[in-house]
């Protein structure tokens, strides 16, 4: 099997993917900008000085195959292209039933027609070292409300994200909620800028205190994607099977859900929920997705898609195998969907290579 | 064409399959155990002493690719593996829109998650030579009620079955209803245990008398699958196109419908209905599916899928071509669906062979 289960009950994990075999999926891409990404060297997910455009460009490329809000596709300083390429390749080979976009605070709206963009009239959140300034409780409730009313004809939902510097805010978020998660969060860099990241996170944590409630804490240290989606997913999974397509940011989202439900003295039945990531993220030595999931008080299934660029001749793509860029724009979840619809590693590799011709 | 029409109006038959070309299908597997299967040597559909597990294992394998309620996949004494292999192979190559299970009286529930199991709280029926002891009228009405309310998003429905010793109960059923059907019913054996089968059927028939009404007769000689599905299919075909995927048991089901509608002085419009079986069953010299269909007072389309293991090197699979095992778990209907979605004989053969590697 090219989809590898690494967390959750064995039979349940097997049957979850068997049940989704061949089924159609809605791909929902949640987009947001935290000004944390403006801190020099905090992320390589984009073009320096224009990193706030990354989610916009990712959305444009995923939907249309073109980047419209700037001349070139979002890539890192070393030239590692966005994982949106992988998600787009899957969509070309075996189209998602639909792609929809959640605008959770961007500088501009993605320039695409016809594709539904849910606009929640949010601004990019502030740098977490300066206090983020998010109305967390309202935002969480917006997510719940949206999830309750959300309808799709698709068999299941894949929820991805594009949030530059999102691993930093995800780390700060989990830590602020009291989880022992040092060293467990990923980075878009191979050479992990740990000291800088730790400095930013510690600065962020200095703005919270133990007498704050959970939403007050989130307001100071988190990002819009995590807070909105916590509410959204909790409501959505009552009605649909949901694949959280991402790495440590999605794990942080689960931890936010875990903490909120604890405060509310409720329970989460994770049966309709799975996290799916890439092999690069799963095997990353500088983060620990498995460890993060073990911090949860509820059961959740998790998998990685067994895909890499070992079959490719492309030097640019090989950078993925070397640990630069690992996950994003739901790449791991997209491959999962592709594999469940009989796409092969060879086909996917070829399709991604096609973007460079 | 690799789907061969052998009963019904020519243009109608052609257009029925043309209409279903490329469409998606729900695969519904009806499962039941009649204790008739405990009569020594009556069936080879399973592992001796554990034949009551066969429908459970078939369901588990179809859904998950694993047999969970026992160590090994259900196979005959000669080592002919269950036709569930074929249905599963089709599902892997071109997944059904959905698989759902009807528990019509099993010793245990199949161990699968997420897949819908409709549980009608029925027990395995008794040996027909001892009077079967089925509440036939109630069961038929349950089927009607279920069919009336049944909803699916799929384009059409393939209804298969796994009922060990089901050909014996199907024969007894048709004969009890007055049809001249001696020698027309199939067996899982090549070397047909005719004298034993006839003895059991004659014993069953000795428990009914001509003054009994149709449901009283069915209560004594039939099985849950036939009685429930008679009601279910009569209601279901009002709203959906239905493919009865099976051989002489499905023909007996049609005969039950035929007799009930006669008693009710109603009419059946068979336009939404087709029986689809395997080539092995169609060409079987020890049974006569065509003859059975000719006993009906309404029109129904029937086909066989032109598939065998002549391209395979596997000695085990070759046993099918030699007449051991012929049909079951909707194999013929599954191939029909595969062919209408452009699968080739070669692909299907390879996929089945893959299970033995």
């Amino acid at each position: 099997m090219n989809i590898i289960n690494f967390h959750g009950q064995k039979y349940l994990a097997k049957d979850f993917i068997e049940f989704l075999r061949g089924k159609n999926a809605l791909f929902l891409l949640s987009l947001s900008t935290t000004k944390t990404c403006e801190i020099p060297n905090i992320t390589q997910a984009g073009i320096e000085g224009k990193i706030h455009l990354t989610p916009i460009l990712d959305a444009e490329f995923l939907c249309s195959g073109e980047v419209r809000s700037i001349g070139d596709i979002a890539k890192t300083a070393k030239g590692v292209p966005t994982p949106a390429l992988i998600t787009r390749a899957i969509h070309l080979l075996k189209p998602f039933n639909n792609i929809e976009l959640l605008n959770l605070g961007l500088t501009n709206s993605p320039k695409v027609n016809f594709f539904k963009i849910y606009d929640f009239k949010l601004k990019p959140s502030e740098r977490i070292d300066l206090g983020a300034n998010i109305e967390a409780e309202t935002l969480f409730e917006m997510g719940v409300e949206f999830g309750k009313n959300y309808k799709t004809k698709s068999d299941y939902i894949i929820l991805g994200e594009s949030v530059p510097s999102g691993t930093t805010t995800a780390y700060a978020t989990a830590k602020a909620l009291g989880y022992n998660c040092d060293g467990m969060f990923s980075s878009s860099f191979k050479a992990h800028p740990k000291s800088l990241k730790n400095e930013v996170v510690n600065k962020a944590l200095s703005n919270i205190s133990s007498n704050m409630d959970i939403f007050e804490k989130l307001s100071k240290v988190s990002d819009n994607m995590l807070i909105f989606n916590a509410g959204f997913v909790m409501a959505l999974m009552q009605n649909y099977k949901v694949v959280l397509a991402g790495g440590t940011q999605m794990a942080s989202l689960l931890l936010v859900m875990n903490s909120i439900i604890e405060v509310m003295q409720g329970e989460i039945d994770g049966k309709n929920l799975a996290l799916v990531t890439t092999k690069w993220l799963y095997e990353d030595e500088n983060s620990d997705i498995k460890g993060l999931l073990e911090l949860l008080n509820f059961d959740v299934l998790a998998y990685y898609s067994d895909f890499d660029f070992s079959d490719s001749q492309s030097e640019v793509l090989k950078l993925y195998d070397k640990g630069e860029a690992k996950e994003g724009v739901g790449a791991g979840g997209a491959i999962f969907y592709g594999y469940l619809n009989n796409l092969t590693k060879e086909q996917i590799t070829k399709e991604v290579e096609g973007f460079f011709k």
Side-chain angles (χ1 to χ4, degrees), chain A residues 75-92:
Chain A
K75 56 184 156 196
T76 70
K78 282 201 179 163
V80 184
T82 168
L85 292 167
I86 297 171
T87 310
R88 171 78 183 166
I90 299 290
H91 180 56
L92 290 176

Side-chain angles (χ1 to χ4, degrees), chain A residues 58-260:
Chain A
D58 279 342
E60 289 172 354
F61 186 74
L62 176 60
C63 293
S64 73
E66 298 175 352
V67 288
R68 293 171 177 177
S69 295
I70 200 173
D72 198 4
I73 192 160
K75 56 184 156 196
T76 70
K78 282 201 179 163
V80 184
T82 168
L85 292 167
I86 297 171
T87 310
R88 171 78 183 166
I90 299 290
H91 180 56
L92 290 176
L93 290 166
K94 170 68 193 174
F96 300 112
N97 213 28
N98 217 344
I99 298 175
E100 295 183 353
L101 307 173
L102 304 181
N103 179 343
L104 301 172
L106 297 171
T107 52
N108 312 95
S109 190
K111 291 179 183 158
V112 292
N113 301 288
F114 307 112
F115 292 88
K116 182 96 184 172
I117 306 179
Y118 295 95
D119 188 348
F120 297 93
K121 309 286 175 207
L122 298 167
K123 285 184 188 150
S125 58
E126 298 298 324
R127 288 166 56 153
I128 54 168
D129 55 344
L130 305 178
N133 195 24
I134 301 170
E135 291 185 47
E137 190 159 4
T138 310
L139 187 56
F140 172 77
E141 280 163 8
M142 274 172 65
V144 172
E145 213 44 46
F146 184 65
K148 271 187 191 166
N149 297 309
Y150 194 82
K151 295 259 180 301
T152 177
K153 291 187 295 181
S154 301
D155 292 326
Y156 67 109
I157 296 168
I158 301 173
L159 180 66
E161 57 70 37
S162 177
V163 185
S165 76
T167 53
T168 302
T169 49
Y171 174 26
T173 300
K175 197 159 181 181
L177 298 181
Y179 296 103
N180 281 324
C181 56
D182 289 340
M184 288 183 173
F185 279 86
S186 176
S187 161
S188 54
F189 289 96
K190 181 184 182 184
H192 216 160
K194 267 191 191 144
S195 58
L196 171 62
K197 206 159 181 163
N198 288 341
E199 196 187 302
V200 170
V201 169
N202 288 335
K203 199 107 178 264
L205 293 175
S206 73
N207 295 321
I208 64 164
S209 56
S210 56
N211 61 353
M212 286 178 172
D213 75 19
I214 182 167
F215 290 112
E216 287 174 307
K217 287 177 185 168
L218 291 172
S219 296
K220 299 280 187 192
V221 304
S222 194
D223 65 53
N224 292 343
M225 188 283 282
L226 291 174
I227 302 168
F228 178 91
N229 278 345
F232 178 44
V233 171
M234 277 165 71
L236 196 64
M237 62 195 270
Q238 306 303 318
N239 300 318
Y240 296 102
K241 294 219 167 3
V242 180
V243 168
L244 299 178
T248 53
Q249 289 171 253
M250 286 301 177
S252 186
L253 168 59
L254 290 168
L255 290 170
V256 174
M257 288 166 58
N258 192 62
S259 291
I260 291 176

Side-chain angles (χ1 to χ4, degrees), chain A residues 42 119 171 273 305 334 349:
Chain A
I42 196 80
D119 188 348
Y171 174 26
L273 199 60
S305 298
T349 303

Side-chain angles (χ1 to χ4, degrees), chain A residues 28-84:
Chain A
L28 254 180
L29 185 58
S30 44
L31 307 163
S32 104
T33 297
T34 158
K35 289 186 182 167
T36 311
C37 77
E38 293 172 358
I39 300 170
N41 299 317
I42 196 80
T43 179
Q44 68 170 345
I47 299 151
E48 221 186 308
K50 309 224 167 165
I51 287 176
H52 64 279
L53 290 179
T54 295
I56 299 165
L57 304 178
D58 279 342
E60 289 172 354
F61 186 74
L62 176 60
C63 293
S64 73
E66 298 175 352
V67 288
R68 293 171 177 177
S69 295
I70 200 173
D72 198 4
I73 192 160
K75 56 184 156 196
T76 70
K78 282 201 179 163
V80 184
T82 168

